[in-house]
Amino acid sequence: MAVKPEEFNFAKNDKFKTAMIPGKFARAMRTCKIWQFIRFIIINLKMLVVVSKSH
Amino acid sequence: MARLVVLGGGVAGHTAATFAADWLGKDHEVVVVTPNAKWNWIPSNIWVGVGEMSKEEVTFDLAPVYEKAGITYKQAKAVSLNPEGSAKRNKPFVTIEYTGQGKVGHSDEIEYDYLINATGPKLNFGATPGLGEGSNLGAHTVSVCTADHAEHASHELTKIMDKMRKGQRQKILIGTGHGMCTCQGAAFEYIFNVEHEIRKAGLRDMADIQWISNEAFMGDFGMGGLHMNVGGYVVSSRIFTESLFAERGVNYITGAHVNKVEKGKVSYELLDGSMGEESFDFSMLIPPFAGVGLKAYNKAGDDITDTVFAPNGFMKVDADYTPKAYEEWKATDWPRTYQNPTYKNLFAAGIAFAPPHIISKPAKSPNGTVINPTPPRTGMPSGIIGKAVAHSICNLIKNGPEAHLHEASMAEMGAACVASAGKGWLDGTAAAMTVYPVVPDYDKYPGTGRDTDYTFGEIGLAGHWIKHILHYLFMYKAKLKPFWKVIPE
Ligand SMILES: Cc1cc2nc3c(=O)[nH]c(=O)nc-3n(C[C@H](O)[C@H](O)[C@H](O)COP(=O)(O)OP(=O)(O)OC[C@H]3O[C@@H](n4cnc5c(N)ncnc54)[C@H](O)[C@@H]3O)c2cc1C
């Protein structure tokens, strides 16, 4: 059975043991085009708010 | 007719000069003195450094843009200021030395009514033995701080990737080259872009990738870290950053002052006083930044550099420079108008102004070595400050010395930062972050120093799209193409 990427990393280094590592679903969502398109709009709106508060 | 001289045609200087020229019109003169013939969108140098963009894609010639804007362009570097004039000249002036326009090495004196110092950083490679000499990069490591450096870095990266293809395992070391560096974000972007390229080439198993940083903890970024709103939690940037390093299998050393660089090896001291060494086949280490070393003289010709500039070479402005303990630092220590307290017609913008103190918690090793990041002044604050200063000077020119000065305190301003973690329209990722305010204000926000409604971060493809679109947007704006003024800094 193939080893999950996060299993490999946890074993690799003591420091990684306490880190939060994304699982399969979180990783997939990061490059899921539909979800990322929605995030694109939301992040842009949030950034515009910060930009407008800063000028 | 008044003359505004802007020193430096980078993010802050270009913003200030182009807005000032637009607001002042033909009644007054704007002069830009800058040693570079080309403007560079520095954030995209990361992609040049991994061969994903060419040098030409991240730069353009300044001369035609300044001609279109009615700005007098001197391709030269400023050497010294005479804010009171001299025995021969009654007006204040700046001494420059040409670096182009067929006058290389020639000196000139340019009188000014107002001056903006936006000379950015001196890349102080010489601060670490072996990292370089003065502001020149040495032979052992690469850099992505300029487009030329980044192009060289990309060639060196190709060489080690070829070795990996031949079955030779390679060690990559990326981070900061001194205990007092800033700009960790650039090194962070580069390490993940290198990792992304190596993975894409199917060579990830042949590379050991190691991060080395002067930050006391991962995610400090010279801002003392930040707490972000992520998925409904208020999460420390440490957790966010460590997560990405673990996910991508990148090992890390923190609290490190690199004190020597040799061929294939760096030596360093850690915050606990211990010493270590790290070998490498390919290394990109960010140099510490200093002021560019402008001198200042009074009317009698006496050296008054200490009056105008702080010991690190950055220009003194309306900050509170009184030495204080970390516990007593206040948001109000940070400058608002960027006007020099001694000479009211001198202003600084971007990296060129002297911060009142660092933002991260000060730290020293038991041997007395200072190991703490210096404050970042990223693109957005640099642009906003440049525009605010230009606004103030236009007001002074049009309405006289009592005119209202515009304010842009980094303790009241946010920053949007998109840190690339790999380029690709379909498989790229970037950490999109906003922080508000840049300098924490513990009086207003006693918990984290920042407003967690406006401080957030997430990693994904959307961040990459934003980063890539920003590249085109800022290149477009800097070229003064139609509607350039509506694109925010
Ligand atoms: C690799 C890298 C990646 C980065 N990525 C990001 C990012 O993603 N987002 C972000 O917000 N920020 C980023 N930054 C930071 C950003 O580039 C700086 O904040 C910004 O460039 C600062 O603007 P500035 O005008 O103060 O300095 P610069 O843009 O450096 O401009 C200074 C100018 O002054 C000129 N000059 C130097 N000496 C003299 C002299 N003696 N006389 C006259 N002119 C002189 C220089 O040639 C230059 O044109 C990055 C920085 C680096 C190095």
Side-chain angles (χ1 to χ4, degrees), chain B residues 23-329:
Chain B
W23 291 327
L24 291 171
K26 292 199 181 349
D27 298 340
H28 304 282
E29 187 186 11
V30 177
V31 179
V32 172
V33 175
T34 192
N36 42 309
K38 288 180 185 279
W39 193 82
N40 174 207
W41 177 237
I42 297 173
S44 296
N45 288 355
I46 301 295
W47 291 334
V48 177
V50 291
E52 285 285 342
M53 268 194 181
S54 68
K55 200 173 98 179
E56 289 67 35
E57 283 173 281
V58 302
T59 56
F60 63 82
D61 285 329
L62 277 175
V65 175
Y66 285 156
E67 197 183 332
K68 178 166 78 177
I71 292 170
T72 310
Y73 166 45
K74 308 263 181 198
Q75 196 192 332
K77 63 173 192 221
V79 180
S80 60
L81 303 179
N82 279 62
E84 301 170 7
S86 67
K88 285 194 219 136
R89 283 185 190 272
N90 281 329
K91 280 190 84 165
F93 65 91
V94 51
T95 305
I96 65 166
E97 197 181 291
Y98 282 92
T99 56
Q101 298 175 323
K103 297 187 231 175
V104 178
H106 286 246
S107 287
D108 203 354
E109 292 175 354
I110 305 176
E111 292 184 350
Y112 62 82
D113 296 287
Y114 291 92
L115 181 134
I116 302 175
N117 174 14
T119 46
K122 168 185 169 185
L123 302 174
N124 198 9
F125 291 103
T128 304
L131 191 62
E133 286 292 328
S135 53
N136 295 320
L137 171 68
H140 308 312
T141 59
V142 300
S143 151
V144 285
C145 290
T146 70
D148 285 328
H149 286 171
E151 200 175 44
H152 165 245
S154 160
H155 289 147
E156 295 300 311
L157 181 63
T158 309
K159 285 187 202 164
I160 62 150
M161 286 175 70
D162 285 343
K163 285 187 184 164
M164 289 181 213
R165 283 190 189 95
K166 288 182 191 143
Q168 295 173 35
R169 200 172 181 79
Q170 298 289 294
K171 170 84 181 279
I172 294 169
L173 180 71
I174 293 173
T176 54
H178 189 275
M180 289 173 73
C181 283
T182 179
C183 221
Q184 290 78 12
F188 170 98
E189 289 191 280
Y190 193 58
I191 200 166
F192 286 114
N193 271 271
V194 166
E195 198 271 343
H196 179 77
E197 292 301 318
I198 289 175
R199 194 156 28 90
K200 234 171 46 181
L203 298 168
R204 187 62 184 88
D205 288 345
M206 296 305 293
D208 295 313
I209 307 182
Q210 170 87 46
W211 169 256
I212 186 163
S213 169
N214 59 339
E215 299 155 288
F217 59 90
M218 296 292 281
D220 177 288
F221 293 124
M223 299 193 293
L226 52 138
H227 284 80
M228 305 184 270
N229 208 327
V230 184
Y233 286 81
V234 174
V235 179
S236 160
S237 51
R238 177 178 186 153
I239 293 174
F240 189 77
T241 311
E242 286 182 353
S243 168
L244 187 62
F245 276 73
E247 181 196 344
R248 306 275 281 259
V250 177
N251 204 354
Y252 50 86
I253 301 170
T254 49
H257 163 60
V258 170
N259 51 25
K260 194 159 134 204
V261 181
E262 294 164 276
K263 189 172 172 6
K265 189 173 92 177
V266 299
S267 309
Y268 60 84
E269 176 181 349
L270 292 181
L271 268 171
D272 65 8
S274 63
M275 305 289 172
E277 283 181 357
E278 201 64 42
S279 64
F280 63 81
D281 298 295
F282 173 89
S283 174
M284 197 294 290
L285 297 177
I286 297 274
F289 290 175
V292 297
L294 297 179
K295 294 271 179 201
Y297 302 98
N298 66 10
K299 194 154 181 84
D302 303 323
D303 191 328
I304 53 160
T305 307
D306 291 354
T307 310
V308 181
F309 297 96
N312 54 13
F314 296 121
M315 201 168 105
K316 288 184 192 166
V317 291
D318 61 324
D320 182 354
Y321 295 109
T322 322
K324 292 179 200 168
Y326 173 69
E327 294 69 30
E328 291 164 31
W329 290 355

Side-chain angles (χ1 to χ4, degrees), chain B residues 293-449:
Chain B
L294 297 179
K295 294 271 179 201
Y297 302 98
N298 66 10
K299 194 154 181 84
D302 303 323
D303 191 328
I304 53 160
T305 307
D306 291 354
T307 310
V308 181
F309 297 96
N312 54 13
F314 296 121
M315 201 168 105
K316 288 184 192 166
V317 291
D318 61 324
D320 182 354
Y321 295 109
T322 322
K324 292 179 200 168
Y326 173 69
E327 294 69 30
E328 291 164 31
W329 290 355
K330 293 258 174 224
T332 48
D333 299 342
W334 286 75
R336 306 183 70 80
T337 65
Y338 304 88
Q339 188 178 39
N340 180 262
T342 317
Y343 299 102
K344 303 287 182 195
N345 57 350
L346 278 185
F347 290 78
I351 292 176
F353 83 82
H357 42 68
I358 61 171
I359 303 174
S360 305
K361 197 169 182 179
K364 260 187 195 169
S365 78
N367 312 317
T369 310
V370 175
I371 309 178
N372 50 222
T374 45
R377 274 146 293 161
T378 53
M380 185 173 147
S382 297
I384 293 177
I385 295 168
K387 189 173 175 182
V389 164
H391 224 141
S392 297
I393 293 174
C394 292
N395 279 357
L396 289 166
I397 290 174
K398 288 181 176 169
N399 306 324
E402 300 308 319
H404 167 72
L405 297 185
H406 281 255
E407 299 185 350
S409 166
M410 280 175 57
E412 288 165 16
M413 168 200 306
C417 257
V418 190
S420 172
K423 188 170 176 290
W425 282 111
L426 300 179
D427 65 348
T429 48
M433 289 181 276
T434 62
V435 51
Y436 186 88
V438 178
V439 174
D441 184 340
Y442 290 101
D443 290 333
K444 254 194 203 158
Y445 314 105
T448 67

